[in-house]
Amino acid sequence: MFWMLTKTSVTLGTRTAGWVRTMGSHQLLVPPPEALSKPLSVPKRLLLGPGPSNLTPRVLAAGGLRMIGHMQKEMFQIMDEIKQGIQYVFQTRNPLTLVVSGSGHCAMETALFNLLEPGDSFLVGANGIWGMRAAEIAERIGARVHQMIKEPGEHYTLQEVEEGLARHKPVLLFLTHGESSTGVVQPLDGFGELCHKFPKASGL
């Protein structure tokens, strides 16, 4: 490959000859970018959206610590401590409490694939991109998807959701608390009690 790059640099003429840099016994056509010789510049921003969000100094300091191997005993201890923190936040003692290293979409897809089976009834509030994505994922799983469609910018009332639960009898209800595509906050008070009125339904 390096031989081909050298040959190409000759055929391109004298204009590109200046780009060639020597590394050991090989000649490189592409020089190192100037950005690599400069310190990384990250501006200060106050982030008020659903995510990403500003980090506390403690978290920033942790990100600057030395790397350790993913199979070392200290890493397992850190993972156990993170698990305990997540259990505290969600007030659960479920031993299968897991941290998903990925985007919000990744976490949502993980949850849906673990809660839905082909043929299950799934009730989803589709008033923005997140509800639409949830519906698409559930369709790929093979669930029977029932969308409560609303215009972007609107949210759902307890009465509207109760009607959907009574009609479709889903095993899972999906509502987006913070719909980042429209900036809408979905009130959640009372929806937990509402799901308990329908034995099959659980809320996500």
Side-chain angles (χ1 to χ4, degrees):
M1 183 180 72
F2 286 113
W3 177 82
M4 288 298 296
L5 288 174
T6 304
K7 183 178 179 181
T8 303
S9 68
V10 174
T11 59
L12 288 175
T14 57
R15 184 171 63 88
T16 60
W19 301 349
V20 179
R21 297 292 184 270
T22 302
M23 181 179 291
S25 59
H26 302 291
Q27 289 183 319
L28 301 179
L29 177 64
V30 180
E34 293 183 7
L36 294 182
S37 63
K38 300 177 182 179
L40 179 63
S41 177
V42 179
K44 291 184 178 180
R45 294 286 187 271
L46 178 60
L47 303 175
L48 298 175
S53 58
N54 293 105
L55 301 177
T56 65
R58 180 184 178 188
V59 174
L60 290 173
L65 296 176
R66 295 182 180 88
M67 292 290 293
I68 60 175
H70 65 285
M71 295 299 291
Q72 292 179 316
K73 64 178 182 179
E74 292 84 1
M75 176 58 75
F76 289 106
Q77 178 184 347
I78 292 172
M79 291 176 64
D80 286 340
E81 292 171 354
I82 292 174
K83 175 180 176 180
Q84 293 168 8
I86 297 298
Q87 289 174 325
Y88 166 71
V89 169
F90 289 96
Q91 288 297 291
T92 179
R93 298 188 185 278
N94 190 327
L96 291 178
T97 303
L98 303 173
V99 178
V100 178
S101 178
S103 64
H105 180 97
C106 174
M108 178 177 68
E109 189 166 10
T110 300
L112 291 174
F113 266 90
N114 280 275
L115 293 172
L116 288 174
E117 298 286 345
D120 282 346
S121 178
F122 178 49
L123 182 63
V124 53
N127 62 335
I129 191 171
W130 291 102
M132 294 168 60
R133 286 182 178 180
E136 292 173 1
I137 293 170
E139 288 173 355
R140 295 202 306 268
I141 294 172
R144 292 180 290 115
V145 179
H146 308 286
Q147 297 189 50
M148 298 181 293
I149 299 176
K150 280 207 167 190
E151 291 295 322
E154 299 181 359
H155 68 272
Y156 299 90
T157 66
L158 285 168
Q159 181 179 353
E160 290 169 337
V161 173
E162 184 171 13
E163 291 173 356
L165 292 172
R167 179 179 180 182
H168 301 293
K169 298 178 175 57
V171 299
L172 185 65
L173 165 67
F174 182 96
L175 295 174
T176 305
H177 178 48
E179 179 51 75
S180 56
S181 67
T182 61
V184 169
V185 175
Q186 168 67 52
L188 296 179
D189 291 341
F191 284 98
E193 293 82 355
L194 190 59
C195 286
H196 285 297
K197 290 178 60 177
F198 298 86
K200 286 186 176 181
S202 60
L204 176 60

